[in-house]
Amino acid sequence: LPNVLFLTYEEMKRDLPKVIRKVSTFLGRRELNDDETTRLVEHLSFENMKKNPAVAKNDLLAAVDKCVEKERDASLQFIRAGKVGSYKEELSKEMIRDLDEWIVENTKGTDLKVSEC
C-alpha cells in the first residue's frame, strides 16, 4: 500500500517530532527545520487538539444531545484522556477482545505492527 502511511497513537505520544518528519517525508515534502517541527509539535499537542473546536467536536456532541433529547454527562468528550492504554479502564474485557480480533483480521497484509502497551 504505497499510498497509505500507518501511524499509531503510541508512536505519536512517544516521539511526535519523529512522526511529523515521517509524515513530511511520506507526503514528499521538504525536510522541516527545527523551528517548524517545534511549532507543529506545539500545535499538535494533545492539549491544543482538545481545545481546537474542529477536533473536539463539541458542536456535534451538542447536536446528538438535542436529537436524543437527553443531556450528556459533561465528562464525556470526543477527545478523551490522551493516555496510551486508557481504553482498558473504559471497555469491558469482551469489548477489548472483540476489538483485538477485528484489528488482527483487518490489518493482515499490511506493515502495521500492533503491540501491547
Side-chain angles (χ1 to χ4, degrees):
L1 302 167
N3 61 338
V4 176
L5 175 63
F6 289 105
L7 301 171
T8 66
Y9 187 70
E10 292 81 0
E11 276 181 279
M12 290 185 275
K13 288 296 281 188
R14 188 172 39 253
D15 193 347
L16 187 54
K18 181 178 177 181
V19 171
I20 289 169
R21 288 186 207 93
K22 184 177 182 179
V23 170
S24 180
T25 299
F26 177 77
L27 295 174
R29 307 302 251 175
R30 66 173 172 72
E31 189 171 321
L32 300 172
N33 65 40
D34 290 343
D35 183 54
E36 291 168 319
T37 302
T38 300
R39 287 193 338 247
L40 273 172
V41 165
E42 177 64 21
H43 178 71
L44 298 171
S45 73
F46 179 81
E47 285 308 314
N48 280 336
M49 295 299 273
K50 191 171 184 171
K51 289 187 258 181
N52 183 335
V55 177
K57 300 294 183 196
N58 290 330
D59 56 337
L60 176 64
L61 293 173
V64 169
D65 290 347
K66 187 175 181 179
C67 286
V68 298
E69 297 178 356
K70 180 181 177 187
E71 198 164 316
R72 164 181 42 87
D73 176 352
S75 69
L76 298 175
Q77 301 292 319
F78 184 73
I79 302 291
R80 295 178 3 255
K83 296 186 317 191
V84 171
S86 65
Y87 70 94
K88 294 174 188 175
E89 300 163 8
E90 300 174 23
L91 301 177
S92 70
K93 290 188 186 309
E94 294 78 22
M95 292 170 92
I96 293 170
R97 184 197 66 236
D98 290 348
L99 283 170
D100 287 344
E101 289 173 5
W102 186 94
I103 291 167
V104 168
E105 183 63 31
N106 288 278
T107 59
K108 284 181 184 172
T110 72
D111 64 350
L112 180 64
K113 304 291 182 251
V114 181
S115 62
E116 182 63 30
C117 298

